[in-house]
Amino acid sequence: MLQNLFITSMAFSFADFNPMAFVDNLYYMGMGMAGIIIVMGVLIAITTLLNKIFSKSNKKDKEDK
Amino acid sequence: MALLNSFKDLLFSDMINHFDYRMLIMWAIGGVLIFLAIKKEMEPTLLLPMGFGAILVNLPFSGAITQILENGEEQEGALSVLFDAGIANELFPLILFIGIGAMIDFGPLLSNPKLMIFGAAAQFGIFFTLCMASMFFPINDAASIAIIGAADGPTSIVVANKLNSEYLGAIMVAAYSYMALVPIIQPPVIKLLTTKKERMIRMPYTQTKVKKTTRILFPIIITIVAGLVAPASVSLVGFLMFGNLIRECGVLNSLSETAQKVLANLITIFLGITIATKMHYESFLAPDTLLILALGLFAFVFDTAGGVMFAKILNIFLPRGKKINPMIGAAGISAFPMSGRIVHKMGLAEDPQNFLLMHSIGVNVSGQIASVIAGGLILNFFM
């Protein structure tokens, strides 16, 4: 009953209230979070690689000297 | 007497005929923003110009904004000209991003790149708010409202503009106001989601020198990767990383200094006062504005919660001795460096020997990158 009252008050307050839109847009939430995590994962991998490459070349320079 | 009456009619009749009580409310709102800026020192660089601008545009027949006069003539206003010149085409926020990029030191992040994952996790609030806001608003407005959670003014402006949101004024006021309220919003959320034992987890920091080549390649690589994944974000990411490249290259020190100080301050002046063109009482004083402010707060809270909960979940799999202090997850929002400092202070409050600053600042910086990528993804989905 409380749930119905809430939905009714939302419907009167905001004519465009559409609770099903929450479910419909969960797809974008999933895709968005997956997208960011993948991109950051790629950046982590690239940065780790850069750190390894340039720390190795530094060690090699020191050994040569 | 007749002269006095005709003078009074000439001077005040327009004002009296076109005065609306809602203008008074907007003056009060402008006054509150100015008070918060001066007395409480909350984001004064933006709240003060916005507050004063709100007063300027809410005067009867204000010459500050473009008006259609009674005779049908259009009277151009300076703030409307500035809006068209710098905000409608997203130029001001993008140029500001050059200055912000020049201010950011990616060193703490580059020495521990794994921290970037918390920046990603802390964008959860944006997408969750997108789902919430879509129940009340059309999808382009819902996406523009959700990006308030990015805690990044320029990103909010660019996304709301590109998606043609009609709530630009409310979104910008919410974005900048909540950025200033981060020290009030985050700590209770962090304390609610963590135990004292978790807050006392120590994270030792070993300083590793980051090579200059890495520092130079990093902004270039981020721009390419983000641009390939979310082409709509190229301007946002590109300008931010361009500013950082100017800083890190080592041969453009004068440009870097100019970008960090003069350019950033100049654009901030124009941006703050021009945002107020969208604070006219007719568009701003609506029930939707209150809902947008509530959803903006919701986005911030769930951003904080997303970062903290992600760290707690990771801790389940990490061995004792390698646990992460979950508070650093909260620093993954883009409010740099405020959020990082808040987490560090909370850590010190629990354990005076627990120095979380380098970790929290690293996460905070990654939040800047992640929020821009989130903005780009939102544009990709809905443009």
Side-chain angles (χ1 to χ4, degrees):
Chain A
M1 187 188 157
L2 275 174
Q3 191 184 10
N4 288 338
L5 194 64
F6 173 72
I7 291 171
T8 312
S9 64
M10 285 290 108
F12 274 110
S13 308
F14 303 101
D16 295 325
F17 181 61
N18 174 15
M20 285 314 294
F22 183 93
V23 176
D24 295 339
N25 288 301
L26 282 173
Y27 166 78
Y28 292 112
M29 182 168 117
M31 291 300 287
M33 287 309 297
I36 288 194
I37 286 171
I38 289 167
V39 171
M40 296 308 256
V42 168
L43 291 174
I44 290 170
I46 291 173
T47 311
T48 309
L49 195 63
L50 282 175
N51 281 336
K52 276 202 160 70
I53 289 170
F54 291 111
S55 71
K56 263 188 190 164
S57 68
N58 195 30
K59 275 185 195 167
K60 203 179 166 202
D61 288 342
K62 281 184 182 170
E63 278 165 18
D64 288 343
K65 280 179 188 169
Chain B
M1 193 60 165
L3 190 66
L4 195 67
N5 282 335
S6 60
F7 179 75
K8 198 172 65 177
D9 287 341
L10 184 72
L11 201 60
F12 294 112
S13 65
D14 270 352
M15 188 193 79
I16 291 165
N17 292 341
H18 297 98
F19 189 81
D20 193 305
Y21 74 94
R22 290 174 291 178
M23 291 177 179
L24 277 176
I25 298 173
M26 288 311 297
W27 295 358
I29 290 172
V32 165
L33 292 177
I34 292 171
F35 172 81
L36 291 173
I38 297 174
K39 196 76 179 165
K40 302 291 178 185
E41 292 183 48
M42 283 169 54
E43 286 283 338
T45 48
L46 281 150
L47 291 192
L48 190 136
M50 273 166 54
F52 191 74
I55 295 169
L56 281 181
V57 305
N58 286 290
L59 290 163
F61 279 124
S62 170
I65 50 173
T66 300
Q67 303 269 8
I68 308 290
L69 301 174
E70 276 176 342
N71 58 11
E73 258 182 49
E74 193 181 75
Q75 177 191 70
E76 218 169 27
L79 292 185
S80 300
V81 171
L82 272 175
F83 185 89
D84 291 336
I87 296 190
N89 55 8
E90 297 116 35
L91 191 62
F92 286 168
L94 290 174
I95 294 176
L96 183 61
F97 250 12
I98 297 176
I100 291 172
M103 290 179 208
I104 296 177
D105 176 11
F106 282 124
L109 183 64
L110 294 173
S111 62
N112 189 4
K114 296 190 291 295
L115 293 175
M116 278 194 244
I117 203 68
F118 295 106
Q123 307 312 310
F124 170 75
I126 295 174
F127 295 100
F128 191 52
T129 304
L130 169 67
C131 296
M132 286 291 292
S134 65
M135 293 196 289
F136 303 97
F137 296 95
I139 197 63
N140 65 318
D141 291 322
S144 305
I145 291 163
I147 209 69
I148 294 171
D152 186 345
T155 304
S156 301
I157 293 169
V158 168
V159 170
N161 241 352
K162 281 194 190 288
L163 294 179
N164 293 318
S165 174
E166 51 181 272
Y167 300 104
L168 191 58
I171 287 167
M172 288 188 286
V173 169
Y176 284 108
S177 303
Y178 288 135
M179 275 163 59
L181 288 173
V182 159
I184 298 170
I185 297 170
Q186 286 206 303
V189 179
I190 294 171
K191 283 191 174 163
L192 194 67
L193 295 172
T194 55
T195 61
K196 190 173 172 70
K197 192 177 169 189
E198 283 173 330
R199 292 195 292 274
M200 289 176 69
I201 292 174
R202 287 194 182 182
M203 292 180 69
Y205 178 74
T206 333
Q207 191 174 6
T208 48
K209 203 169 182 312
V210 180
K211 295 292 286 179
K212 187 176 170 179
T213 315
T214 307
R215 285 176 176 268
I216 290 170
L217 287 174
F218 185 69
I220 299 170
I221 288 167
I222 286 197
T223 307
I224 293 171
V225 171
L228 289 171
V229 169
S233 73
V234 169
S235 54
L236 281 168
V237 174
F239 276 61
L240 183 73
M241 293 303 144
F242 173 60
N244 191 251
L245 189 57
I246 289 173
R247 174 198 172 96
E248 296 296 349
C249 68
V251 295
L252 293 172
N253 291 334
S254 63
L255 286 191
S256 171
E257 211 173 296
T258 302
Q260 290 180 48
K261 293 179 182 152
V262 175
L263 181 68
N265 286 339
L266 199 59
I267 296 297
T268 301
I269 290 171
F270 286 130
L271 194 66
I273 200 161
T274 309
I275 283 168
T277 47
K278 293 294 171 185
M279 292 179 71
H280 195 256
Y281 70 88
E282 278 175 348
S283 51
F284 195 80
L285 290 181
D288 287 350
T289 301
L290 277 177
L291 183 58
I292 289 166
L293 292 174
L295 287 166
L297 180 62
F298 187 84
F300 262 74
V301 166
F302 276 87
D303 271 349
T304 305
V308 170
M309 291 311 296
F310 186 76
K312 285 173 66 110
I313 290 167
L314 272 184
N315 273 347
I316 295 169
F317 304 102
L318 292 172
R320 200 175 289 180
K322 295 268 185 189
K323 300 278 186 196
I324 298 165
N325 190 314
M327 291 199 293
I328 67 165
I333 65 172
S334 182
F336 176 82
M338 219 180 329
S339 192
R341 285 190 193 148
I342 288 162
V343 167
H344 171 62
K345 274 189 191 164
M346 288 183 73
L348 284 176
E350 301 290 350
D351 175 4
Q353 298 300 315
N354 192 3
F355 299 99
L356 295 170
L357 187 67
M358 296 314 283
H359 302 286
S360 61
I361 288 291
V363 173
N364 207 184
V365 159
S366 79
Q368 181 77 68
I369 301 168
S371 67
V372 171
I373 293 171
L377 286 171
I378 293 260
L379 288 174
N380 251 25
F381 292 156
F382 302 114
M383 248 173 68

